[in-house]
Amino acid sequence: MSFLKRLKAYLVLPALTALFTFSIHGAELQQPPKSPEVPDWAIATMAFPQLGKALDKAGAYANILLPNSAELAKQILMNFLFTLPLDEGLQKDAPAIIYVLDPVSTGLSEERAFLIGLKDAAKVKAALIGTFGAPTEEAGVMTFTLLQPPPQPDKFLVVKLNGDKLLAAPSATLLKKLDEFSAAKTDAELLGTSGAEADLAVKVPAVKRAYVPLVMGGLAILEQLAGPEHANEFKEVNQLFDTVWQFDLLGTRVKFNEDASSAMIEFEGIPQKGSPLAARLAEPGLHVKVDVLQLAPDKLALFLAGTGNG
């Protein structure tokens, strides 16, 4: 039995329309686009097949919302996504990939690794030294020490400029893993096959392993503070999380049209094999229609509706 579920939302602003779709895939006859692969030492991968193109379109999109904001929006995005000074030596048409590291398997919390296309390695090296100071170098690998305020231990940025690519990670061990992983994969495996400007894939079991005690513990405290009169609401929230933890992968893709006057955001979910969610979605004849949210203030309309057919 093949099935495809979609959740669509429309965000309408003056001169701007964004379309959101949500798909849950199981054993489908027609395979959906593949998300970028998430290695076993990461919890998420964000891939940009052409980083420069994605930034330009994001800037043009922001410019519609707020005139003359394109360059500022691009700079904010770069600073948020990449903790590296890359502007001068960036290869605009090359891919860039961010890996959010798994705190359980790596022992590192809130850290990322990067694989980025380069145009001028010498300029990037000079920018890195100008920002982080002189590194130690061994066998083409630079190690920068990132001083932290006491009592926090210092952090490290380990960088390898490999031809037209930059690889960066918070340790030499992870840099080696990144190098081996990227060398063993095709572009389609590294970047996904959706053709989107940005493609995010999140490995749900890894997120659950790393963060479920924090999330569910915090939820239990909130439930106690809220009191028994809100027990039904918290029961629904717990049921929602129970469903989320049954996914194997959750993905988000951002696509712009040619002039960036509109954007589409696709959400994708792949259930874990053998999970109750996978069994539920595989039921023949399953039909769901849900109006999730409807808001319509003056010049802003947000409408979400879900439909699905088995």
Side-chain angles (χ1 to χ4, degrees):
M1 171 62 65
S2 67
F3 61 86
L4 174 63
K5 296 198 159 298
R6 263 181 205 286
L7 175 66
K8 293 184 178 180
Y10 297 89
L11 174 60
V12 183
L13 292 161
L16 181 64
T17 301
L19 167 65
F20 300 77
T21 68
F22 182 75
S23 304
I24 300 176
H25 303 294
E28 294 184 354
L29 296 177
Q30 184 175 1
Q31 291 297 316
K34 290 187 178 297
S35 296
E37 287 198 20
V38 183
D40 58 10
W41 37 266
I43 61 173
T45 298
M46 175 170 276
F48 303 87
Q50 291 183 299
L51 179 58
K53 177 183 176 183
L55 289 171
D56 288 341
K57 288 201 169 186
Y61 188 80
N63 213 42
I64 298 174
L65 293 174
L66 183 63
N68 303 316
S69 66
E71 291 305 316
L72 177 61
K74 288 161 63 175
Q75 192 61 48
I76 290 173
L77 271 177
M78 279 293 291
N79 291 340
F80 174 74
L81 294 169
F82 302 95
T83 54
L84 302 167
L86 299 173
D87 292 355
E88 291 298 318
L90 185 67
Q91 175 58 269
K92 295 292 185 182
D93 296 328
I97 308 173
I98 302 168
Y99 296 98
V100 182
L101 302 184
D102 181 355
V104 175
S105 63
T106 67
L108 298 170
S109 180
E110 300 179 6
E111 294 284 0
R112 287 169 283 176
F114 304 96
L115 176 62
I116 305 169
L118 295 181
K119 177 177 65 176
D120 192 323
K123 284 186 177 180
V124 168
K125 182 176 180 179
L128 288 168
I129 293 173
T131 301
F132 302 119
T136 60
E137 292 192 53
E138 184 177 353
V141 174
M142 297 180 288
T143 300
F144 297 88
T145 301
L146 311 181
L147 299 177
Q148 303 296 307
Q152 300 297 323
D154 291 340
K155 296 183 177 182
F156 299 95
L157 175 65
V158 187
V159 179
K160 181 179 180 181
L161 304 179
N162 187 9
D164 61 350
K165 296 182 179 66
L166 175 148
L167 296 89
S171 73
T173 299
L174 283 165
L175 184 76
K176 185 174 184 290
K177 289 183 177 182
L178 172 61
D179 200 359
E180 292 172 347
F181 176 79
S182 61
K185 301 296 179 180
T186 65
D187 285 349
E189 291 170 327
L190 291 171
L191 300 168
T193 60
S194 69
E197 272 73 38
D199 200 333
L200 171 68
V202 179
K203 193 160 56 177
V204 176
V207 173
K208 180 181 179 182
R209 185 175 65 246
Y211 297 111
V212 74
L214 178 65
V215 172
M216 303 312 290
L219 189 62
I221 292 172
L222 288 175
E223 184 174 2
Q224 290 179 354
L225 293 174
E229 63 271 20
H230 295 286
N232 287 335
E233 289 94 328
F234 280 95
K235 181 180 178 181
E236 292 176 358
V237 172
N238 279 285
Q239 289 173 342
L240 173 62
F241 274 110
D242 182 61
T243 300
V244 169
W245 301 138
Q246 293 178 57
F247 282 100
D248 184 59
L249 180 139
L250 289 173
T252 304
R253 301 182 182 116
V254 181
K255 298 179 180 180
F256 295 96
N257 67 349
E258 196 59 35
D259 64 358
S261 60
S262 66
M264 180 171 70
I265 301 180
E266 299 178 348
F267 298 94
E268 176 189 48
I270 302 177
Q272 297 177 36
K273 291 181 180 179
S275 66
L277 177 62
R280 172 64 175 156
L281 292 172
E283 289 182 13
L286 181 66
H287 181 80
V288 180
K289 184 172 183 178
V290 182
D291 289 343
V292 183
L293 178 66
Q294 189 169 4
L295 295 170
D298 191 17
K299 289 188 176 181
L300 174 65
L302 178 61
F303 176 73
L304 289 85
T307 60
N309 294 282

